[in-house]
Amino acid sequence: MGVVVYTQRVEVIESYQERRDCADQRIADFISACGFLPLPVPNRAGLAEQIIETLRPAGIILSGGNSLTAYGGNAPERDAMDHVLIELAVKNQIPLYGFCRGMQSVLVYFGNELVNVDGHVAVRHMIRADKECYEVNSYHNQACKELKAGGELRIMAQTPDGVIEAVRHKNLPIAGTMWHPERETNYTQKDINMVKELFGGVV
């Protein structure tokens, strides 16, 4: 069983003067459902390369939570961690999947801009992907509506109001979705198959 490392959100506990790494337990459950061994990593960019080189994971997941600091977030250590992990994925062709904030990090890394959007927090909406329409969850205030011209990403899914909901790198095993696969009551087979295919598992 291959190891998949995943990032964690930062919670600031002022009364203890602590910045805590934490993650929804359902993320680990989802990774396990995809056939991989989940392993959370701390928000320490300096450790990222050592962790990746030592573990040689089957894949990397950039999870949700904490807006990017350029868009009002308060966790610069997450920005640094995501940036380093994407660099390592590109350099070593390690499969990488980012959801929600994770996809935002992928978008920004490849030169795209985010904009504020309304009506995308704690709702469900329809998306169109590969001539098929289906419903997904949504928990984000920022999104991308237009990819950088001639850039390295391509649109895989979009909402009727123009929000890009999924992307894929044109050449590398890097993908992103704005929805949270782990927050579905029953994980969808589409999400499981996407992760398995991306990380080299059997679909």
Side-chain angles (χ1 to χ4, degrees):
M1 182 181 289
V3 171
V4 167
V5 301
Y6 64 96
T7 60
Q8 304 179 80
R9 70 167 61 230
V10 173
E11 293 290 345
V12 180
I13 313 299
E14 297 288 357
S15 59
Y16 284 87
Q17 296 185 340
E18 290 181 358
R19 299 179 68 83
R20 297 179 181 176
D21 292 335
C22 60
D24 187 337
Q25 294 172 354
R26 292 173 294 181
I27 298 174
D29 291 339
F30 173 72
I31 294 170
S32 179
C34 293
F36 300 96
L37 185 65
L39 184 69
V41 292
N43 284 297
R44 287 290 179 263
L47 294 174
E49 190 164 4
Q50 296 177 53
I51 290 170
I52 297 304
E53 287 183 351
T54 301
L55 296 179
R56 299 191 178 277
I60 298 168
I61 288 182
L62 306 182
S63 66
N66 303 116
S67 294
L68 303 180
T69 54
Y71 297 90
N74 64 346
E77 63 267 52
R78 284 208 74 186
D79 294 1
M81 185 68 170
D82 283 4
H83 185 86
V84 167
L85 289 175
I86 297 170
E87 280 194 333
L88 289 169
V90 170
K91 176 183 176 182
N92 300 294
Q93 296 196 15
I94 300 170
L96 181 143
Y97 166 50
F99 64 80
C100 200
R101 178 226 157 76
M103 174 169 150
Q104 293 173 346
S105 290
V106 170
L107 286 164
V108 170
Y109 181 88
F110 288 105
N112 301 282
E113 293 186 1
L114 305 180
V115 296
N116 290 326
V117 294
D118 296 321
H120 282 261
V121 178
V123 298
R124 298 188 68 83
H125 56 58
M126 299 301 294
I127 63 170
R128 184 171 183 84
D130 295 328
K131 299 181 180 180
E132 178 184 6
C133 292
Y134 56 93
E135 189 180 72
V136 297
N137 61 55
S138 185
Y139 296 92
H140 58 91
N141 288 303
Q142 290 88 34
C144 183
K145 290 195 170 185
E146 184 177 0
L147 293 182
K148 174 183 175 182
E152 298 176 65
L153 302 178
R154 66 179 186 271
I155 298 172
M156 303 302 292
Q158 211 159 2
T159 60
D161 63 352
V163 169
I164 298 170
E165 286 283 318
V167 294
R168 189 84 182 241
H169 195 280
K170 293 177 180 177
N171 302 304
L172 299 172
I174 295 175
T177 66
M178 288 307 299
W179 63 87
H180 287 248
E182 85 285 4
R183 289 186 179 175
E184 296 295 334
T185 302
N186 297 303
Y187 307 136
T188 72
Q189 198 60 49
K190 288 180 184 293
D191 290 335
I192 290 174
N193 287 347
M194 182 271 294
V195 170
K196 283 185 173 182
E197 183 272 330
L198 184 68
F199 291 172
V202 178
V203 177

